[in-house]
Amino acid sequence: MARRALITGITGQDGSYLAEHLLSQGYEVWGLARGQANPRVSRMRKLLADVRIVRGDLLDQGSLISAVERVQPDEVYNLGAISFVPMSWEQAELTAEVTGMGVLRMLEAIRVCSGISRGSSPTGQIRFYQASSSEMFGQVSETPQNERTSFHPRSPYGVAKAYGHFLTQNYRESYGMFAVSGILFNHESPRRGAEFVTRKVSLGVARIKLGLASELRLGNLEARRDWGFAGDYVRAMHLMLQAPTPEDYVIGTGHMKSVRELVEAAFSAAGLDWERYVVTDPALHRPAEVDLLCADPKKARTQLGWEPTVSFDELVAMMVESDIRLLSDGGDPDQDSSWP
Ligand code: NAP
Ligand code: F7E
């Protein structure tokens, strides 16, 4: 019988790549989707017709229990979150509820449906993946960051992710559950939401190239990130749940670039000089910035055999080309993004 996976956040960037990867591995894939008429669900269904949908919301404990009872998954991937860092200052409580407390609700749904209590030794258990984030490192205490680096989150989002991370570890230690966190650094693709800087830049370049815009407004150009390709990172999520023991892993490329370098690479991929078009806007700076993030993915490489396959320059070129194609074909990035 096919193994069954339940993915929260199925309509997001990672949900789509993970669903594709698991379908290619022969899984029966279920996606948890919220809302009465969520337009992102129909978009996802058109492109990933084999994914089955179960209704539920990370804010609603009962719906998660019903979803786990109905799907009877072997593996649960908790990708659902408020994931845009600036929004977490504007809606800090909602971020805590979805990105933080949502992890508790999902773990409780699994615990209750599996009949796990203190002292019981779970058998045939559901394996759980939590989408932790490099944002937990925040103001970094060392570079590069590994699984033992301390956390100093700099946003309500980072704080909520740290709660979910420690809770996942706690359920593993308290109940013997196979519950792991992937501490993923920034990963991008043509399916990235238009609010994140890489996609904002690739769409901006495409608009300027096609004569649809004359400038691109950005915030802090000095921030440095470790950017990789989302398609590579979902393979790591799956590998973590196939490991013999439940452990947490840092996933990233080990290379860091500034937003300025991202902008240079993206404009040059379209044959443009960025300095003619980019305008910096202090209103786009954050109340507290994460200045730099750079992964040490040695553990994932040695224990999981995981390696990224797409370089920074290849990723930027892929996104710029995809957005030029999308806009040339009359696509609306808010509606259809660059799917598939
Ligand atoms: P994304 O594109 O923003 O997707 C977020 C998903 O969460 C969407 O499918 C959204 O569904 C869902 N969601 C929001 N509120 C929900 C709720 N109340 N109940 C259930 N689902 C809800 O994010 P992503 O880039 O794919 O990232 C996936 C996960 O990895 C997130 O947890 C993110 O925080 C984490 N992460 C991402 C990165 C990265 O660089 N991409 C790095 C580290 C960690 P709707 O369609 O209903 O809005
Ligand atoms: O910002 C700077 C901004 O919004 C990256 C999420 O997936 O990765 C992501 O979080 C950097 C920041 O991603 C603009 O100040 C400059 O320093 O693309 P971003 P993020 O905040 O790093 C982590 C790992 C996650 O877990 C999150 O879910 O770029 N920046 N100018 C800008 N950023 C944006 N969005 N827009 C600008 O105009």
Side-chain angles (χ1 to χ4, degrees):
M1 209 170 82
R3 289 178 69 71
R4 239 176 263 151
L6 173 61
I7 303 172
T8 74
I10 190 71
T11 58
Q13 170 189 256
D14 290 6
S16 71
Y17 281 107
L18 179 63
E20 272 175 2
H21 181 62
L22 295 179
L23 287 167
S24 78
Q25 302 286 309
Y27 278 73
E28 181 179 310
V29 178
W30 289 77
L32 183 97
R34 70 177 171 139
Q36 194 173 324
N38 183 340
R40 283 160 38 114
V41 174
S42 36
R43 181 187 72 179
M44 190 277 305
R45 268 189 158 137
K46 261 187 237 148
L47 292 152
L48 292 170
D50 292 336
V51 174
R52 299 160 199 231
I53 294 295
V54 57
R55 294 280 160 197
D57 194 309
L58 287 167
L59 296 172
D60 183 337
Q61 178 73 76
S63 74
L64 301 180
I65 293 174
S66 302
V68 173
E69 272 173 350
R70 173 158 176 220
V71 175
Q72 300 278 312
D74 299 291
E75 297 170 10
V76 171
Y77 295 85
N78 186 38
L79 311 186
I82 305 280
S83 75
F84 188 45
V85 172
M87 184 172 161
S88 77
W89 277 284
E90 284 169 20
Q91 299 188 24
E93 188 177 338
L94 183 66
T95 304
E97 281 291 342
V98 178
T99 305
M101 288 290 286
V103 185
L104 173 65
R105 296 190 189 99
M106 198 67 238
L107 282 164
E108 274 295 287
I110 294 170
R111 189 184 69 76
V112 168
C113 294
S114 310
I116 298 171
S117 56
R118 275 175 57 202
S120 69
S121 47
T123 49
Q125 47 174 315
I126 300 170
R127 295 189 169 204
F128 176 78
Y129 173 86
Q130 168 56 19
S132 284
S133 165
S134 53
E135 278 291 302
M136 301 184 305
F137 296 125
Q139 190 148 304
V140 298
S141 59
E142 59 180 345
T143 296
Q145 296 84 47
N146 63 38
E147 292 77 7
R148 293 171 307 285
T149 303
S150 58
F151 295 161
H152 182 154
R154 296 270 284 168
S155 63
Y157 169 80
V159 172
K161 281 289 178 188
Y163 172 78
H165 182 84
F166 283 125
L167 198 75
T168 302
Q169 197 175 64
N170 179 258
Y171 269 56
R172 179 165 80 218
E173 292 172 2
S174 303
Y175 299 112
M177 286 169 65
F178 195 110
V180 305
S181 289
I183 307 175
L184 270 53
F185 284 61
N186 299 53
H187 46 280
E188 320 292 318
S189 73
R191 299 178 193 173
R192 186 58 144 151
E195 64 275 32
F196 299 95
V197 76
T198 52
R199 189 77 198 288
K200 185 173 173 183
V201 168
S202 64
L203 275 167
V205 168
R207 288 193 180 104
I208 290 168
K209 182 77 183 170
L210 298 173
L212 303 170
S214 55
E215 68 169 35
L216 174 61
R217 297 190 91 73
L218 293 171
N220 179 12
L221 300 186
E222 308 314 324
R224 284 176 286 167
R225 290 290 184 276
D226 178 335
W227 279 294
F229 172 54
D232 282 337
Y233 288 43
V234 299
R235 282 190 291 107
M237 298 176 188
H238 178 240
L239 286 171
M240 281 179 225
L241 292 198
Q242 316 315 308
T245 52
E247 293 181 39
D248 303 331
Y249 295 87
V250 156
I251 302 295
T253 68
H255 302 287
M256 185 166 59
K257 299 277 183 187
S258 65
V259 175
R260 186 184 298 274
E261 289 171 300
L262 162 73
V263 166
E264 278 170 10
F267 277 82
S268 112
L272 299 169
D273 173 9
W274 71 278
E275 288 183 284
R276 290 183 54 202
Y277 304 102
V278 172
V279 177
T280 52
D281 183 348
L284 294 169
H285 283 239
R286 297 176 180 187
E289 177 63 283
V290 171
D291 296 326
L292 70 90
L293 290 171
C294 185
D296 172 2
K298 204 181 320 132
K299 181 179 175 188
R301 195 166 52 235
T302 51
Q303 294 192 21
L304 300 175
W306 179 82
E307 295 277 358
T309 65
V310 177
S311 72
F312 174 78
D313 286 335
E314 289 167 343
L315 173 65
V316 172
M318 177 203 301
M319 293 179 70
V320 169
E321 280 160 27
S322 168
D323 278 331
I324 291 177
R325 218 171 25 247
L326 174 76
L327 297 185
S328 304
D329 294 346
D332 174 355
D334 293 326
Q335 289 301 313
D336 48 24
S337 184
S338 297
W339 291 56

